[in-house]
Amino acid sequence: MKNQGYPHDLFDGRPVIGILNTWSDLTPCNGHLRELAEKVKAGVWEAGGFPMEVPVFSASENTFRPTAMMFRNLAALAVEEAIRGQPIDGCVLMVGCDKTTPSLLMGGRLLSTCPPSSSPAGRCSTAISGASASAPAPISGSSPKW
């Protein structure tokens, strides 16, 4: 990771936190996770960790045929191997829809060395008179206000 420009002092024993992100332009319910991942990174830095974003498989009911459900286990396996194969001490699972949430939780639960925390950050959105109206879902551990 040093060859990517990270300074030597970051490798001082601080925990490496993997941010496993299902963001994709092809997965509408996860489209906002790109921006949210930056906020998660800032929080990891603030807490004294070393955040590393890792892309993981994402399936959308809108684009996968005949159904995205067929790919749930593939996504879980991809997450499990990403956690197992990368030098990370903890992880945050960035999910946003009813297919990626169980996939990432299934993949993450198998690894006791890296207990996952989930950020179910999906949102319901619609257009009212041409204007976007959306309601963000709560981050894990918080209670909804709506």
Side-chain angles (χ1 to χ4, degrees), residues 53-74:
E53 191 171 354
V54 181
V56 292
F57 183 83
S58 180
S60 170
E61 202 61 60
N62 298 334
T63 57
F64 276 80
R65 298 292 178 253
T67 175
M69 183 60 84
M70 294 174 56
F71 298 94
R72 187 181 69 181
N73 290 345
L74 175 62

mmCIF file of all heavy atoms in Angstrom, residues 53-74:
data_model
loop_
_atom_site.group_PDB
_atom_site.id
_atom_site.type_symbol
_atom_site.label_atom_id
_atom_site.label_comp_id
_atom_site.label_asym_id
_atom_site.label_seq_id
_atom_site.Cartn_x
_atom_site.Cartn_y
_atom_site.Cartn_z
ATOM 1 N N GLU A 53 -10.892 1.282 1.131
ATOM 2 C CA GLU A 53 -12.136 0.919 0.451
ATOM 3 C C GLU A 53 -11.890 -0.260 -0.484
ATOM 4 O O GLU A 53 -10.908 -0.292 -1.219
ATOM 5 C CB GLU A 53 -12.679 2.108 -0.332
ATOM 6 C CG GLU A 53 -14.072 1.882 -0.833
ATOM 7 C CD GLU A 53 -14.699 3.130 -1.416
ATOM 8 O OE1 GLU A 53 -14.096 4.213 -1.333
ATOM 9 O OE2 GLU A 53 -15.807 3.022 -1.950
ATOM 10 N N VAL A 54 -12.806 -1.227 -0.422
ATOM 11 C CA VAL A 54 -12.708 -2.439 -1.225
ATOM 12 C C VAL A 54 -14.032 -2.612 -1.968
ATOM 13 O O VAL A 54 -15.080 -2.699 -1.330
ATOM 14 C CB VAL A 54 -12.462 -3.678 -0.326
ATOM 15 C CG1 VAL A 54 -12.343 -4.937 -1.160
ATOM 16 C CG2 VAL A 54 -11.231 -3.477 0.544
ATOM 17 N N PRO A 55 -14.015 -2.649 -3.292
ATOM 18 C CA PRO A 55 -15.265 -2.873 -4.016
ATOM 19 C C PRO A 55 -15.692 -4.334 -3.903
ATOM 20 O O PRO A 55 -14.851 -5.240 -3.937
ATOM 21 C CB PRO A 55 -14.909 -2.518 -5.466
ATOM 22 C CG PRO A 55 -13.445 -2.759 -5.559
ATOM 23 C CD PRO A 55 -12.874 -2.475 -4.194
ATOM 24 N N VAL A 56 -16.992 -4.553 -3.725
ATOM 25 C CA VAL A 56 -17.514 -5.914 -3.688
ATOM 26 C C VAL A 56 -18.711 -6.035 -4.629
ATOM 27 O O VAL A 56 -19.326 -5.044 -5.006
ATOM 28 C CB VAL A 56 -17.898 -6.362 -2.255
ATOM 29 C CG1 VAL A 56 -16.668 -6.504 -1.385
ATOM 30 C CG2 VAL A 56 -18.887 -5.420 -1.619
ATOM 31 N N PHE A 57 -19.020 -7.248 -4.987
ATOM 32 C CA PHE A 57 -20.083 -7.575 -5.932
ATOM 33 C C PHE A 57 -21.424 -6.993 -5.491
ATOM 34 O O PHE A 57 -21.778 -7.053 -4.324
ATOM 35 C CB PHE A 57 -20.176 -9.098 -6.047
ATOM 36 C CG PHE A 57 -21.190 -9.570 -7.037
ATOM 37 C CD1 PHE A 57 -20.876 -9.632 -8.380
ATOM 38 C CD2 PHE A 57 -22.448 -9.948 -6.622
ATOM 39 C CE1 PHE A 57 -21.810 -10.084 -9.297
ATOM 40 C CE2 PHE A 57 -23.390 -10.405 -7.532
ATOM 41 C CZ PHE A 57 -23.063 -10.463 -8.872
ATOM 42 N N SER A 58 -22.150 -6.454 -6.425
ATOM 43 C CA SER A 58 -23.451 -5.866 -6.155
ATOM 44 C C SER A 58 -24.438 -6.320 -7.222
ATOM 45 O O SER A 58 -24.132 -6.271 -8.413
ATOM 46 C CB SER A 58 -23.323 -4.337 -6.172
ATOM 47 O OG SER A 58 -24.552 -3.742 -5.911
ATOM 48 N N ALA A 59 -25.594 -6.769 -6.791
ATOM 49 C CA ALA A 59 -26.625 -7.221 -7.725
ATOM 50 C C ALA A 59 -27.885 -6.391 -7.542
ATOM 51 O O ALA A 59 -28.310 -6.140 -6.424
ATOM 52 C CB ALA A 59 -26.946 -8.689 -7.488
ATOM 53 N N SER A 60 -28.461 -5.983 -8.652
ATOM 54 C CA SER A 60 -29.680 -5.185 -8.609
ATOM 55 C C SER A 60 -30.798 -5.919 -9.323
ATOM 56 O O SER A 60 -30.601 -6.468 -10.407
ATOM 57 C CB SER A 60 -29.445 -3.844 -9.299
ATOM 58 O OG SER A 60 -30.669 -3.159 -9.466
ATOM 59 N N GLU A 61 -31.951 -5.899 -8.713
ATOM 60 C CA GLU A 61 -33.116 -6.516 -9.344
ATOM 61 C C GLU A 61 -33.458 -5.820 -10.656
ATOM 62 O O GLU A 61 -34.058 -6.409 -11.546
ATOM 63 C CB GLU A 61 -34.314 -6.472 -8.383
ATOM 64 C CG GLU A 61 -35.370 -7.489 -8.663
ATOM 65 C CD GLU A 61 -34.871 -8.930 -8.559
ATOM 66 O OE1 GLU A 61 -34.409 -9.336 -7.491
ATOM 67 O OE2 GLU A 61 -34.963 -9.648 -9.581
ATOM 68 N N ASN A 62 -33.054 -4.568 -10.783
ATOM 69 C CA ASN A 62 -33.343 -3.803 -12.001
ATOM 70 C C ASN A 62 -32.549 -4.273 -13.205
ATOM 71 O O ASN A 62 -32.980 -4.077 -14.341
ATOM 72 C CB ASN A 62 -33.043 -2.317 -11.784
ATOM 73 C CG ASN A 62 -33.907 -1.718 -10.716
ATOM 74 O OD1 ASN A 62 -35.005 -2.185 -10.456
ATOM 75 N ND2 ASN A 62 -33.408 -0.677 -10.081
ATOM 76 N N THR A 63 -31.367 -4.854 -12.984
ATOM 77 C CA THR A 63 -30.485 -5.158 -14.111
ATOM 78 C C THR A 63 -30.168 -6.630 -14.290
ATOM 79 O O THR A 63 -29.779 -7.027 -15.378
ATOM 80 C CB THR A 63 -29.161 -4.387 -13.979
ATOM 81 O OG1 THR A 63 -28.563 -4.713 -12.722
ATOM 82 C CG2 THR A 63 -29.379 -2.891 -14.075
ATOM 83 N N PHE A 64 -30.283 -7.457 -13.260
ATOM 84 C CA PHE A 64 -29.948 -8.876 -13.382
ATOM 85 C C PHE A 64 -31.164 -9.672 -13.815
ATOM 86 O O PHE A 64 -32.260 -9.488 -13.303
ATOM 87 C CB PHE A 64 -29.428 -9.422 -12.044
ATOM 88 C CG PHE A 64 -27.971 -9.172 -11.840
ATOM 89 C CD1 PHE A 64 -27.520 -7.941 -11.415
ATOM 90 C CD2 PHE A 64 -27.040 -10.174 -12.087
ATOM 91 C CE1 PHE A 64 -26.176 -7.702 -11.235
ATOM 92 C CE2 PHE A 64 -25.697 -9.950 -11.900
ATOM 93 C CZ PHE A 64 -25.263 -8.714 -11.472
ATOM 94 N N ARG A 65 -30.947 -10.577 -14.772
ATOM 95 C CA ARG A 65 -32.031 -11.407 -15.273
ATOM 96 C C ARG A 65 -31.658 -12.865 -15.123
ATOM 97 O O ARG A 65 -30.503 -13.219 -15.324
ATOM 98 C CB ARG A 65 -32.328 -11.087 -16.748
ATOM 99 C CG ARG A 65 -32.780 -9.658 -16.964
ATOM 100 C CD ARG A 65 -34.151 -9.428 -16.333
ATOM 101 N NE ARG A 65 -34.579 -8.061 -16.486
ATOM 102 C CZ ARG A 65 -34.624 -7.166 -15.504
ATOM 103 N NH1 ARG A 65 -34.246 -7.468 -14.295
ATOM 104 N NH2 ARG A 65 -35.065 -5.953 -15.721
ATOM 105 N N PRO A 66 -32.538 -13.743 -14.753
ATOM 106 C CA PRO A 66 -33.948 -13.480 -14.531
ATOM 107 C C PRO A 66 -34.219 -12.825 -13.184
ATOM 108 O O PRO A 66 -35.238 -12.163 -13.013
ATOM 109 C CB PRO A 66 -34.591 -14.866 -14.595
ATOM 110 C CG PRO A 66 -33.514 -15.807 -14.184
ATOM 111 C CD PRO A 66 -32.230 -15.180 -14.657
ATOM 112 N N THR A 67 -33.336 -13.015 -12.204
ATOM 113 C CA THR A 67 -33.524 -12.375 -10.912
ATOM 114 C C THR A 67 -32.169 -12.220 -10.218
ATOM 115 O O THR A 67 -31.274 -13.051 -10.382
ATOM 116 C CB THR A 67 -34.484 -13.182 -10.013
ATOM 117 O OG1 THR A 67 -34.540 -12.562 -8.723
ATOM 118 C CG2 THR A 67 -34.032 -14.615 -9.838
ATOM 119 N N ALA A 68 -32.036 -11.170 -9.431
ATOM 120 C CA ALA A 68 -30.796 -10.941 -8.691
ATOM 121 C C ALA A 68 -30.624 -11.949 -7.563
ATOM 122 O O ALA A 68 -29.498 -12.174 -7.103
ATOM 123 C CB ALA A 68 -30.772 -9.517 -8.140
ATOM 124 N N MET A 69 -31.707 -12.557 -7.123
ATOM 125 C CA MET A 69 -31.634 -13.526 -6.026
ATOM 126 C C MET A 69 -30.675 -14.668 -6.359
ATOM 127 O O MET A 69 -30.018 -15.219 -5.478
ATOM 128 C CB MET A 69 -33.021 -14.073 -5.715
ATOM 129 C CG MET A 69 -33.040 -15.032 -4.544
ATOM 130 S SD MET A 69 -32.461 -14.279 -3.022
ATOM 131 C CE MET A 69 -33.969 -13.518 -2.489
ATOM 132 N N MET A 70 -30.563 -15.001 -7.629
ATOM 133 C CA MET A 70 -29.669 -16.081 -8.040
ATOM 134 C C MET A 70 -28.206 -15.769 -7.735
ATOM 135 O O MET A 70 -27.382 -16.671 -7.660
ATOM 136 C CB MET A 70 -29.826 -16.347 -9.540
ATOM 137 C CG MET A 70 -31.175 -16.887 -9.915
ATOM 138 S SD MET A 70 -31.394 -17.016 -11.697
ATOM 139 C CE MET A 70 -30.027 -18.045 -12.167
ATOM 140 N N PHE A 71 -27.878 -14.509 -7.557
ATOM 141 C CA PHE A 71 -26.496 -14.094 -7.378
ATOM 142 C C PHE A 71 -26.156 -13.755 -5.923
ATOM 143 O O PHE A 71 -25.050 -13.335 -5.628
ATOM 144 C CB PHE A 71 -26.200 -12.899 -8.276
ATOM 145 C CG PHE A 71 -26.349 -13.232 -9.729
ATOM 146 C CD1 PHE A 71 -27.546 -12.992 -10.376
ATOM 147 C CD2 PHE A 71 -25.313 -13.818 -10.431
ATOM 148 C CE1 PHE A 71 -27.705 -13.316 -11.708
ATOM 149 C CE2 PHE A 71 -25.458 -14.144 -11.758
ATOM 150 C CZ PHE A 71 -26.662 -13.896 -12.407
ATOM 151 N N ARG A 72 -27.100 -13.952 -5.017
ATOM 152 C CA ARG A 72 -26.876 -13.590 -3.618
ATOM 153 C C ARG A 72 -25.714 -14.374 -3.012
ATOM 154 O O ARG A 72 -24.869 -13.823 -2.327
ATOM 155 C CB ARG A 72 -28.143 -13.799 -2.810
ATOM 156 C CG ARG A 72 -28.015 -13.283 -1.383
ATOM 157 C CD ARG A 72 -29.250 -13.508 -0.595
ATOM 158 N NE ARG A 72 -29.403 -14.943 -0.376
ATOM 159 C CZ ARG A 72 -30.406 -15.489 0.266
ATOM 160 N NH1 ARG A 72 -31.379 -14.736 0.723
ATOM 161 N NH2 ARG A 72 -30.473 -16.781 0.441
ATOM 162 N N ASN A 73 -25.653 -15.677 -3.253
ATOM 163 C CA ASN A 73 -24.570 -16.481 -2.693
ATOM 164 C C ASN A 73 -23.231 -16.132 -3.306
ATOM 165 O O ASN A 73 -22.197 -16.176 -2.623
ATOM 166 C CB ASN A 73 -24.869 -17.967 -2.848
ATOM 167 C CG ASN A 73 -26.001 -18.409 -1.948
ATOM 168 O OD1 ASN A 73 -26.383 -17.692 -1.026
ATOM 169 N ND2 ASN A 73 -26.553 -19.573 -2.221
ATOM 170 N N LEU A 74 -23.212 -15.772 -4.580
ATOM 171 C CA LEU A 74 -21.972 -15.328 -5.214
ATOM 172 C C LEU A 74 -21.467 -14.056 -4.541
ATOM 173 O O LEU A 74 -20.276 -13.914 -4.254
ATOM 174 C CB LEU A 74 -22.201 -15.074 -6.707
ATOM 175 C CG LEU A 74 -21.022 -14.497 -7.484
ATOM 176 C CD1 LEU A 74 -19.834 -15.443 -7.458
ATOM 177 C CD2 LEU A 74 -21.445 -14.187 -8.914
#
